Amino acid sequence: MKTLTITRPDDWHLHVRNGAVLKTVLPHTAKQFARAIIMPNLKPPVTTVEQALAYREEILQAIPPGMDFKPLMTLYLTNSTTVEEIKKAVESDYVHAVKLYPAGATTNSDAGVANINALYPIFAAMEKYDLPLQVHGEVTNEACDIFDRERAFIESHLSAIHHNFPALRIIMEHLTTAEAVEFVQSTHANIAATITPQHLLFNRNALFAGGLRPHHYCLPILKREHHRLALVAAATSGNPKFFLGTDSAPHQTALKENACGCAGCYSANAALELYTEAFDRAEALDKLEGFASFYGADFYRLPRNTTTVTLEKSAWQVPESYQDNEVKITPLKAGETLSWKLL
Ligand code: NCD
Ligand code: ZN
């Protein structure tokens, strides 16, 4: 049996929600990853260090006994965020970054930023105190085609932010286009990016394969095949600017299979297996460890993990759903067979 042992990985972009959903999904991540960057887009959003610390406590309570997992907290940036809050975040041991959601860009982003230029004093403070900025890089202009929104964001905002704050560490989250890959490659080491399993495995045809596929709908939306190929090339290149961030985003099955279905793919149950499949197909298994276990930690200036995980090449079937009382979540590739299994 073919096996692969790598340093235990971390997930640098994860949604775990709160309440009952948190209890259902967190054990999946804790089994796979040592640490995860926890996204702050709760309702209401996590905008202060105080809220982040309370949320962290709730997450710690949801870790099954005996499992070793560290949540890394983030703040949700708004046009009301103050420099004082940024300083508090820097002084806190638990807040590792601040997330920029353009208002209306994605799930729970109504409280996001309507005027990005008004945030320049905040970016200046983050640059000065060296607190990383995580960006959901899509414009929200209704007139902009949904498949062009990432490229438009780079042109209209990200280039300028990077130009004005060259020392600010920026993570462009969930890359989906060849243009975004080129942007990240062409900038200096302060710009990095996460890549999800769904954007490595699927192109936009997966949204309409034989009918409308709500479980393939996430934001930024899946793109054309040439973009997927650019993402696979970037992830498997060994370039430390690209690292693992699942963007696993659980929604109740009924809210996905809906006349107005929510955006987000749930992948935490099999994240590493999905990435391994993508790297295996690209004949780049030797590049998985850097992408999954080293480059994110290095960029966030955290120590690399020291224990290991082992995957085995053996087929298994992804469950149709995960259910727990009132929670029902359908994972990515539900009912399908995966070729790698985490032991
Ligand atoms: C995320 C969610 O559901 O919170 N959804 C998604 O489609 N990725 C939000 C996000 O990261 O955009
Ligand atoms: Zn996300």
Side-chain angles (χ1 to χ4, degrees), residues 13-17 39 41-42 99 101 105-109 136 138 173-174 196 198-199 217-221 246-251 256 262-265:
H13 183 130
L14 176 70
H15 302 265
V16 292
R17 318 302 187 198
M39 286 292 140
N41 62 331
L42 298 183
K99 175 76 185 274
Y101 287 102
T106 185
T107 306
N108 298 346
S109 64
H136 182 110
E138 288 193 288
E173 301 293 343
H174 39 52
T196 77
Q198 63 267 27
H199 292 103
Y217 174 56
C218 67
L219 290 170
I221 199 156
T246 61
D247 193 20
S248 175
H251 291 275
K256 293 281 300 171
C262 295
C265 297

Coordinates of all heavy atoms in Angstrom, one line a residue, residues 13-17 39 41-42 99 101 105-109 136 138 173-174 196 198-199 217-221 246-251 256 262-265, ligand 1:
H13 N -7.2 29.1 6.3 CA -8.5 29.8 6.0 C -9.6 28.8 6.3 O -9.9 27.9 5.5 CB -8.5 30.2 4.6 CG -9.8 31.1 4.3 ND1 -9.7 32.3 3.6 CD2 -11.1 30.8 4.5 CE1 -10.9 32.7 3.5 NE2 -11.8 31.9 4.0
L14 N -10.3 29.1 7.4 CA -11.4 28.1 7.8 C -12.6 28.8 8.5 O -12.4 29.7 9.3 CB -10.8 27.1 8.8 CG -11.8 26.1 9.4 CD1 -12.2 25.1 8.4 CD2 -11.1 25.4 10.6
H15 N -13.8 28.4 8.1 CA -15.0 28.8 8.8 C -15.5 27.7 9.6 O -15.7 26.6 9.1 CB -16.1 29.2 7.8 CG -15.6 30.2 6.8 ND1 -15.9 31.6 7.0 CD2 -15.0 30.2 5.6 CE1 -15.4 32.3 6.0 NE2 -14.8 31.4 5.1
V16 N -15.7 27.9 10.9 CA -16.3 26.9 11.8 C -17.6 27.3 12.4 O -18.3 26.5 13.1 CB -15.3 26.4 12.9 CG1 -14.1 25.7 12.3 CG2 -14.9 27.6 13.8
R17 N -18.1 28.6 12.2 CA -19.3 29.1 12.7 C -19.3 29.0 14.2 O -18.3 28.8 14.9 CB -20.5 28.3 12.1 CG -20.5 28.0 10.6 CD -20.4 29.2 9.8 NE -20.5 28.9 8.4 CZ -20.1 29.6 7.4 NH1 -19.5 30.8 7.6 NH2 -20.2 29.3 6.1
M39 N -12.0 32.2 10.5 CA -12.6 33.4 9.9 C -13.6 34.0 10.8 O -14.4 33.3 11.5 CB -13.3 33.0 8.6 CG -12.2 32.7 7.5 SD -11.4 34.3 7.1 CE -9.7 33.7 6.9
N41 N -16.4 35.9 10.2 CA -17.7 36.3 9.6 C -18.9 35.6 10.3 O -19.7 35.0 9.6 CB -17.7 36.2 8.1 CG -17.6 34.7 7.6 OD1 -17.0 33.9 8.3 ND2 -18.2 34.4 6.5
L42 N -19.0 35.7 11.6 CA -20.1 35.3 12.3 C -21.2 36.3 12.2 O -21.0 37.4 11.7 CB -19.8 35.1 13.8 CG -18.8 34.0 14.2 CD1 -18.7 34.0 15.7 CD2 -19.1 32.7 13.6
K99 N -9.3 40.5 8.7 CA -9.8 40.1 7.4 C -10.7 41.2 6.8 O -11.6 41.7 7.4 CB -10.7 38.9 7.6 CG -11.5 38.4 6.4 CD -10.6 37.6 5.4 CE -11.4 37.3 4.2 NZ -12.1 36.0 4.3
Y101 N -13.4 42.0 4.2 CA -14.5 41.6 3.3 C -15.1 42.8 2.7 O -15.7 43.7 3.4 CB -15.6 40.9 4.1 CG -15.4 39.5 4.6 CD1 -15.0 39.3 6.0 CD2 -15.5 38.4 3.8 CE1 -14.8 38.1 6.4 CE2 -15.2 37.1 4.3 CZ -14.9 37.0 5.6 OH -14.7 35.7 6.1
A105 N -19.7 41.1 -0.5 CA -19.0 40.2 -1.4 C -19.4 38.7 -1.2 O -19.3 37.9 -2.1 CB -17.5 40.3 -1.2
T106 N -19.8 38.3 0.0 CA -19.9 36.9 0.3 C -20.8 36.7 1.5 O -21.4 37.6 2.0 CB -18.5 36.2 0.4 OG1 -18.7 34.8 0.5 CG2 -17.8 36.7 1.6
T107 N -20.9 35.4 2.0 CA -21.6 35.1 3.2 C -21.3 36.0 4.4 O -20.1 36.2 4.7 CB -21.3 33.6 3.6 OG1 -21.5 32.8 2.5 CG2 -22.2 33.2 4.8
N108 N -22.3 36.6 5.0 CA -22.1 37.4 6.2 C -21.1 38.6 6.0 O -20.3 38.8 6.8 CB -21.7 36.6 7.4 CG -22.8 35.6 7.8 OD1 -23.9 35.6 7.3 ND2 -22.4 34.6 8.6
S109 N -21.2 39.2 4.8 CA -20.3 40.3 4.6 C -21.1 41.7 4.6 O -20.5 42.7 4.2 CB -19.5 40.1 3.3 OG -20.4 40.1 2.2
H136 N -10.5 39.2 1.1 CA -11.4 38.5 0.1 C -11.4 39.4 -1.1 O -12.0 40.5 -1.1 CB -12.9 38.4 0.7 CG -13.8 37.7 -0.2 ND1 -14.3 36.5 0.0 CD2 -14.3 38.1 -1.4 CE1 -15.1 36.1 -1.0 NE2 -15.1 37.1 -1.9
E138 N -12.6 40.4 -4.1 CA -13.6 40.5 -5.2 C -14.3 41.9 -5.1 O -14.6 42.3 -4.0 CB -14.7 39.4 -5.1 CG -14.2 38.0 -5.4 CD -15.4 37.1 -5.6 OE1 -16.0 36.8 -4.5 OE2 -15.7 36.7 -6.7
E173 N -6.8 35.7 -0.2 CA -7.5 34.4 0.2 C -8.1 33.7 -1.0 O -8.5 34.4 -2.0 CB -8.5 34.6 1.3 CG -8.0 35.3 2.6 CD -7.0 34.4 3.3 OE1 -7.0 33.1 3.1 OE2 -6.3 34.9 4.2
H174 N -8.2 32.4 -0.9 CA -8.8 31.6 -2.0 C -8.7 32.1 -3.4 O -9.6 32.5 -4.0 CB -10.3 31.4 -1.6 CG -11.0 32.5 -1.0 ND1 -11.1 33.8 -1.6 CD2 -11.8 32.7 0.1 CE1 -11.8 34.6 -0.9 NE2 -12.3 33.9 0.1
T196 N -7.8 26.8 -2.2 CA -8.8 25.8 -1.7 C -8.7 24.5 -2.5 O -8.2 24.5 -3.6 CB -10.2 26.3 -1.8 OG1 -10.7 26.2 -3.1 CG2 -10.4 27.7 -1.3
Q198 N -11.3 22.9 -3.6 CA -12.3 22.9 -4.7 C -11.8 23.6 -6.0 O -12.1 23.3 -7.1 CB -13.7 23.5 -4.3 CG -13.7 24.9 -3.9 CD -13.6 25.0 -2.4 OE1 -13.0 24.2 -1.7 NE2 -14.1 26.1 -1.8
H199 N -11.0 24.7 -5.7 CA -10.4 25.4 -6.9 C -9.3 24.6 -7.6 O -9.0 24.9 -8.7 CB -10.0 26.8 -6.5 CG -11.2 27.7 -6.1 ND1 -11.5 28.0 -4.8 CD2 -12.1 28.3 -6.9 CE1 -12.6 28.7 -4.8 NE2 -13.0 28.9 -6.0
Y217 N -21.0 25.4 -5.3 CA -21.1 26.9 -5.3 C -20.4 27.5 -4.1 O -20.8 27.3 -2.9 CB -22.6 27.4 -5.3 CG -22.8 28.8 -5.2 CD1 -22.1 29.7 -6.1 CD2 -23.5 29.4 -4.2 CE1 -22.3 31.1 -6.0 CE2 -23.7 30.8 -4.1 CZ -23.0 31.6 -5.0 OH -23.2 33.0 -4.8
C218 N -19.4 28.2 -4.4 CA -18.7 29.0 -3.3 C -18.3 30.3 -3.9 O -18.4 30.5 -5.1 CB -17.5 28.2 -2.8 SG -16.2 28.1 -4.0
L219 N -17.8 31.2 -3.1 CA -17.2 32.5 -3.6 C -15.8 32.6 -3.1 O -15.5 32.3 -2.0 CB -18.1 33.6 -3.1 CG -19.5 33.7 -3.7 CD1 -20.4 34.7 -3.0 CD2 -19.4 34.0 -5.2
P220 N -14.9 33.1 -3.9 CA -15.1 33.4 -5.3 C -15.5 32.1 -6.1 O -15.0 31.0 -5.8 CB -13.8 33.9 -5.8 CG -13.0 34.3 -4.6 CD -13.5 33.4 -3.5
I221 N -16.4 32.3 -7.1 CA -16.9 31.2 -7.8 C -15.9 30.4 -8.6 O -14.8 31.0 -9.0 CB -18.1 31.7 -8.8 CG1 -19.0 30.6 -9.2 CG2 -17.5 32.5 -10.0 CD1 -20.4 31.1 -9.6
T246 N -8.4 25.9 3.3 CA -9.5 25.2 2.7 C -10.7 26.1 2.3 O -11.4 25.8 1.4 CB -10.0 24.1 3.6 OG1 -10.5 24.7 4.8 CG2 -9.0 23.1 4.0
D247 N -10.9 27.1 3.1 CA -12.1 27.9 3.0 C -13.3 27.0 3.2 O -14.4 27.2 2.7 CB -12.2 28.6 1.7 CG -13.4 29.7 1.7 OD1 -13.8 30.1 2.8 OD2 -13.8 30.1 0.6
S248 N -13.1 25.9 4.0 CA -14.3 25.0 4.3 C -15.3 25.9 5.0 O -15.0 26.6 6.0 CB -13.8 23.9 5.3 OG -14.9 23.2 5.7
A249 N -16.5 25.9 4.4 CA -17.5 26.9 4.9 C -18.9 26.2 5.0 O -19.7 26.1 4.1 CB -17.6 28.0 3.8
P250 N -19.1 25.6 6.2 CA -20.3 24.8 6.4 C -21.6 25.6 6.3 O -21.7 26.7 6.9 CB -20.2 24.2 7.7 CG -19.2 25.1 8.5 CD -18.3 25.6 7.4
H251 N -22.6 25.1 5.6 CA -24.0 25.7 5.6 C -24.9 24.5 5.8 O -24.6 23.4 5.3 CB -24.3 26.4 4.3 CG -23.5 27.7 4.1 ND1 -23.9 28.9 4.7 CD2 -22.4 27.9 3.5 CE1 -23.1 29.8 4.3 NE2 -22.1 29.3 3.6
K256 N -28.3 25.2 1.4 CA -27.5 25.1 0.1 C -28.5 24.6 -1.0 O -28.4 25.1 -2.1 CB -26.4 24.0 0.2 CG -25.3 24.4 1.2 CD -24.3 25.3 0.6 CE -23.6 24.8 -0.6 NZ -22.7 25.8 -1.3
C262 N -26.8 29.2 -0.3 CA -25.7 29.9 0.3 C -24.4 29.5 -0.4 O -24.2 28.4 -0.9 CB -25.5 29.5 1.7 SG -26.9 30.0 2.8
A263 N -23.4 30.4 -0.4 CA -22.1 30.2 -1.0 C -21.2 29.5 0.1 O -21.1 30.0 1.2 CB -21.5 31.5 -1.4
G264 N -20.5 28.5 -0.3 CA -19.6 27.8 0.6 C -19.5 26.3 0.4 O -20.6 25.7 0.3
C265 N -18.3 25.8 0.3 CA -18.2 24.3 0.2 C -17.7 23.8 1.5 O -16.8 24.4 2.1 CB -17.1 24.0 -0.9 SG -17.6 24.5 -2.6
Ligands
NCD1 C1 -17.7 31.7 2.9 C2 -18.7 31.5 4.1 O1 -19.7 30.8 3.9 O2 -18.5 32.0 5.2 N1 -18.3 31.3 1.7 C3 -17.7 31.0 0.6 O3 -18.3 30.7 -0.5 N2 -16.4 30.9 0.5 C4 -17.3 33.1 2.9 C5 -16.1 33.4 2.1 O4 -15.0 33.0 2.4 O5 -16.2 34.0 1.0

